[in-house]
Amino acid sequence: MTHDNPTTPAAGRGIRLRPGGSRRLLAGASAAVLAPALLTACGGDSGTTTTSDGLIQVTVGGGGSIFDTPLQVADANGYFRKQGLKIKFVTLTAATGPSALQSGSVQFYDSSPTAFVSALAKGLPQLAVSTDGLGNPLGLVVSKKFASAHNLTAKSPAEQVAKALSGSTGGASSANTKAEAGIFLDKYGVDPDKKVRWVSLPSPAADKAAINSGQIDWFVTSEPIPLQIQDDGDGVVVADPFKVPEWAAEDAGYGQLVVTQKSYATAHPDVVKKFAAAIQQATAYMDTHLKDSNDQTVLKAAQKSLEGVPDGVVQASLQQVDWPTSGSMNAAGWKKTMAFLGGLGTLPAGAEVTTDNWTNKYLP
């Protein structure tokens, strides 16, 4: 996404197998490969196989973030299996995801609009076939010392927070999160270029270390890192999409996408339809069941991608995303998304999305 992914490995590490429950899935997949009954299916260049029990196996890449939850819910609730699919999960970075999709290492990629539009700008023939999350689950976390010095709490009004950040030191591990912080500051008359001293850091993990050491006063990144810092007692989350509507789906038109290669969609429309149907069923389930505090299905599914994150932090992070009951897209939504991305100033020159790059025809 435009924000950092706190659990994504360094780009150079490429594909990484998922922790926790994913090991079970991948172990089963490996065993299936060794079984003599395993048959090649769906074309030699697709990497798709049919197992001995008649399921079509496909590989999907995600970022190891809160946005992977629909994939895990669809698997946990048996939606993929009901569609005749067996899923293998791998973790990718924004840098490796589009290329893994292009090479056929994965058949589907759970992509941010930023990564998708950047891939299109490079001429990669990729196709968005569904939306599976809406919004920017961002948190602006200040150090405990800074919060105390400026009388900031989690309930402090947005304007008070912005004014307090004037003259501070902010951390930035990506151009996107720096720009998103700038959107917030600009709204309240705080020039992010003149009123903030920026420290460039290599990752959200480095942001976290820097705030703990006192090198920086605050930073913005995607959840769950900000809420984890607050949960540990080392900082305070003073801005989120509820307090900064410019980050939320309604204003930004931003979300998460299910992306595949155009050639794969053309060759295997039935598989794309089955996959999109399972994901839509999962997000519809999430939209309903996240409101039920007694239902632990979504929480447990999310923890497969966010291993070790406290339950309360995961739950709060999930609440910052709108989980759509339909994965459909439209031109107005894409126009709003592109305006938001354009405002960040981090996309390649000439980047655009046309109706050739997205479709609803594979949705139920």
Side-chain angles (χ1 to χ4, degrees):
M1 297 196 73
T2 58
H3 51 283
D4 298 304
N5 184 335
T7 56
T8 297
R13 291 170 61 186
I15 295 177
R16 177 171 65 86
L17 302 187
R18 291 289 175 81
S22 299
R23 285 195 293 268
R24 174 181 56 79
L25 291 170
L26 293 174
S30 298
V33 171
L34 297 175
L38 186 64
L39 302 174
T40 301
C42 300
D45 63 346
S46 69
T48 308
T49 57
T50 300
T51 63
S52 58
D53 54 358
L55 299 177
I56 298 173
Q57 182 171 291
V58 295
T59 303
V60 55
S65 76
I66 204 73
F67 279 108
D68 292 352
T69 305
L71 303 174
Q72 300 289 359
V73 169
D75 190 56
N77 285 3
Y79 300 150
F80 285 131
R81 189 173 185 86
K82 288 176 184 177
Q83 293 290 338
L85 303 178
K86 184 173 184 178
I87 304 301
K88 183 168 74 172
F89 297 98
V90 295
T91 299
L92 302 169
T93 70
T96 61
S99 58
L101 188 66
Q102 193 64 25
S103 71
S105 299
V106 299
Q107 285 73 57
F108 298 95
Y109 176 45
D110 195 42
S111 175
S112 72
T114 305
F116 176 60
V117 176
S118 296
L120 296 180
K122 295 176 182 177
L124 300 182
Q126 298 181 356
L127 183 69
V129 296
S130 179
T131 298
D132 61 348
L134 298 169
N136 271 315
L138 294 169
L140 190 159
V141 59
V142 300
S143 70
K144 191 173 181 179
K145 180 179 179 181
F146 188 88
S148 177
H150 295 271
N151 298 313
L152 296 179
T153 71
K155 295 182 179 181
S156 296
E159 184 173 8
Q160 179 187 348
V161 173
K163 298 296 185 183
L165 298 181
S166 180
S168 66
T169 301
S173 56
S174 81
N176 290 319
T177 49
K178 182 178 179 180
E180 284 163 334
I183 289 174
F184 169 59
L185 293 170
D186 272 331
K187 180 178 180 179
Y188 297 102
V190 178
D191 188 322
D193 296 320
K194 296 179 180 179
K195 297 297 184 179
V196 175
R197 185 175 74 86
W198 293 98
V199 175
S200 295
L201 296 160
S203 69
D207 284 333
K208 181 178 180 180
I211 203 172
N212 288 339
S213 70
Q215 182 184 1
I216 60 175
D217 297 316
W218 61 276
F219 69 94
V220 172
T221 194
S222 61
E223 298 296 355
I225 280 184
L227 286 171
Q228 277 186 283
I229 291 174
Q230 180 171 271
D231 189 68
D232 291 338
D234 295 327
V236 181
V237 177
V238 293
D240 57 28
F242 303 114
K243 192 178 288 187
V244 186
E246 292 80 9
W247 294 346
E250 186 175 352
D251 280 17
Y254 200 82
Q256 196 80 350
L257 307 166
V258 176
V259 178
T260 189
Q261 285 194 78
K262 283 187 175 182
S263 59
Y264 185 84
T266 299
H268 311 294
D270 56 330
V271 178
V272 179
K273 287 179 180 179
K274 291 174 186 293
F275 191 91
I279 294 297
Q280 181 170 285
Q281 192 173 2
T283 55
Y285 179 93
M286 292 172 66
D287 177 69
T288 301
H289 288 77
L290 271 173
K291 300 166 187 174
D292 180 359
S293 60
N294 294 319
D295 190 324
Q296 298 294 299
T297 302
V298 178
L299 173 63
K300 291 179 179 178
Q303 287 174 327
K304 291 182 179 179
S305 298
L306 301 172
E307 189 176 26
V309 179
D311 289 1
V313 171
V314 175
Q315 288 281 29
S317 299
L318 286 166
Q319 298 295 338
Q320 292 190 15
V321 179
D322 292 337
W323 303 104
T325 56
S326 171
S328 64
M329 297 165 279
N330 57 55
W334 271 109
K335 182 178 180 180
K336 187 181 290 187
T337 297
M338 291 303 291
F340 175 76
L341 294 178
L344 296 179
T346 58
L347 286 178
E352 63 176 350
V353 174
T354 72
T355 52
D356 289 334
N357 308 129
W358 61 270
T359 181
N360 294 323
K361 74 176 185 179
Y362 298 102
L363 294 170

